[in-house]
Amino acid sequence: MSEEDLVIDVRGLNKHFGDKHVVRDLALQVRRGEIFGFLGPNGSGKTTSIRMLCGLLTPDSGAGQCLGLDVLQDSSAIKRQVGYMTQRFSLWEDLTIRENLDFVGRMFGMADRRQAVDNTLRELGLLERQQQLAGTLSGGWKQRLALASCLLHRPRLLLLDEPTAGVDPKARRDFWEEIHRLSAAGITVLVSTHYMDEAERCHRLAYIADGELLASGTASEVVAAQQLFTWRITGPLLQGLAERLGQLPGVELVASFGTALHVSGQDSTLLQHSLSQALAGSELAMQQLEPSLEDAFIHLMHYRRRQPGATP
Ligand SMILES: Nc1ncnc2c1ncn2[C@@H]1O[C@H](COP(=O)(O)OP(=O)(O)OP(=O)(O)O)[C@@H](O)[C@H]1O
Ligand SMILES: [Mg+2]
């Protein structure tokens, strides 16, 4: 891959807040036009990493480039060239959709502001609602306006921090169609999310826990790298069953999925043997599954917690 194809290419990024090491030796490469997902538990360092990439936060150490600009030296230029949708974005609720965009255009000092607002309204399907006050929009439309605001200055890189948190499935789906449309137009998107279905819509993704990047690749590469075997247990699930299964040799994690339990481990033979013995004579059934991305992430989190020095 040539360097020009990489819109983000950083390594060894570290950030401390006080004595807390929040991002550890982060290395990340994102290709042009790619939709790259950023996943990890609350407090794992996603927002902090995004803020270092867009020039809002200076890394304590590390090196690399974003949009061909140096992440340590050129932070002001990076800030102007990326579109950043913050995790708790705010709109001017007393202004209309059009006025909100116009205001953003003024802040960027855009000479062709009117044209840019017209184009953005049209491209994001906001023309009909342009006179509506932002404060009266539903969550999904607010999200769309927030996206429009960070697209107005035509950035080549979008950093979206949990852009769909709290909006309904239809609005989330529409939002993702939009992201794919932008990606097809050559815009690179780094997007953090807690939703598994969204993770699967990304071209590639990374999983971060306690500030450390534990896995990256396509969804199927990330799942395969865990070398995990998963069984689904169904039947009259008894209280305490999950805990009992969790104690068995070969069982590394047990997770409830609706009316079933997913039981996973890396030693296939031992796992199958333990489960067969435990379920013998019961009304419970076991069936092997392809591990899902969620299984892989839960495994990664547990794995991380078992490491010496890991925060529990
Ligand atoms: N400005 C700050 N000052 C001190 N600590 C901070 C600051 N910003 C973040 N932190 C801490 O850094 C850690 C990582 O936070 P960050 O917001 O990057 O996590 P996150 O992965 O985005 O979490 P979430 O999924 O909840 O958004 C947390 O422990 C958080 O409390
Ligand atoms: Mg965050």
Side-chain angles (χ1 to χ4, degrees):
M1 197 185 334
S2 80
E3 278 189 16
E4 295 87 75
D5 291 332
L6 293 176
V7 171
I8 296 173
D9 184 12
V10 295
R11 61 212 159 271
L13 291 194
N14 281 285
K15 188 70 197 175
H16 293 77
F17 287 120
D19 54 7
K20 203 164 172 192
H21 199 170
V22 172
V23 175
R24 299 157 189 259
D25 286 328
L26 177 74
L28 201 63
Q29 295 194 319
V30 181
R31 301 165 192 153
R32 188 173 310 284
E34 185 166 56
I35 303 174
F36 192 93
F38 209 25
L39 284 100
N42 290 129
S44 54
K46 301 181 295 296
T47 298
T48 306
S49 301
I50 290 175
R51 289 168 67 83
M52 287 196 284
L53 293 173
C54 69
L56 280 169
L57 204 58
T58 312
D60 298 338
S61 59
Q65 56 89 13
C66 183
L67 290 167
L69 297 160
D70 188 291
V71 283
L72 286 163
Q73 309 296 324
D74 305 324
S75 56
S76 328
I78 295 176
K79 254 184 279 185
R80 281 194 302 275
Q81 292 190 28
V82 299
Y84 174 38
M85 184 166 160
T86 58
Q87 189 165 358
R88 288 173 198 83
F89 64 84
S90 53
L91 306 165
W92 293 280
E93 304 235 322
D94 297 333
L95 299 185
T96 66
I97 288 185
R98 173 176 281 279
E99 288 165 345
N100 262 277
L101 293 181
D102 192 65
F103 200 89
V104 173
R106 277 176 206 269
M107 286 197 307
F108 276 99
M110 293 176 76
D112 58 343
R113 195 172 77 235
R114 194 177 171 89
Q115 190 62 46
V117 171
D118 282 342
N119 290 344
T120 307
L121 285 170
R122 192 178 53 254
E123 284 164 18
L124 286 166
L126 291 166
L127 266 181
E128 281 181 23
R129 292 174 186 261
Q130 58 177 297
Q131 300 306 343
Q132 192 171 337
L133 290 180
T136 66
L137 295 169
S138 69
W141 285 103
K142 281 185 177 161
Q143 229 89 11
R144 190 165 278 256
L145 174 54
L147 179 64
S149 304
C150 62
L151 280 169
L152 193 69
H153 62 298
R154 306 239 160 254
R156 286 177 292 141
L157 170 64
L158 276 180
L159 300 169
L160 309 176
D161 198 359
E162 295 189 40
T164 61
V167 305
D168 69 44
K170 164 80 166 69
R172 287 207 290 127
R173 178 180 290 215
D174 293 346
F175 195 91
W176 272 85
E177 288 307 316
E178 203 56 55
I179 292 180
H180 274 274
R181 190 182 64 77
L182 293 165
S183 149
I187 295 177
T188 309
V189 182
L190 176 78
V191 52
S192 75
T193 177
H194 289 290
Y195 296 112
M196 291 302 124
D197 61 318
E198 295 191 347
E200 279 164 3
R201 284 170 189 254
C202 296
H203 298 123
R204 286 194 307 134
L205 49 92
Y207 185 85
I208 180 172
D210 291 330
E212 201 173 318
L213 201 137
L214 299 183
S216 66
T218 63
S220 43
E221 283 167 359
V222 169
V223 175
Q226 306 320 308
Q227 299 183 317
L228 207 58
F229 298 88
T230 301
W231 290 82
R232 176 181 159 89
I233 313 293
T234 47
L237 298 178
L238 302 170
Q239 225 173 5
L241 179 67
E243 202 177 325
R244 193 150 56 78
L245 296 182
Q247 314 280 334
L248 298 174
V251 173
E252 291 177 40
L253 62 105
V254 182
S256 302
F257 278 78
T259 56
L261 291 178
H262 283 198
V263 184
S264 307
Q266 289 181 311
D267 184 335
S268 173
T269 316
L270 187 59
L271 175 66
Q272 185 173 0
H273 179 73
S274 288
L275 286 177
S276 310
Q277 277 203 328
L279 269 52
S282 77
E283 290 175 59
L284 298 166
M286 56 188 273
Q287 174 201 6
Q288 192 164 12
L289 286 182
E290 281 299 315
S292 66
L293 199 53
E294 185 157 344
D295 293 319
F297 288 156
I298 297 172
H299 173 76
L300 275 167
M301 227 163 86
H302 282 251
Y303 172 80
R304 167 76 194 157
R305 289 202 176 128
R306 287 200 305 271
Q307 296 306 296
T311 331

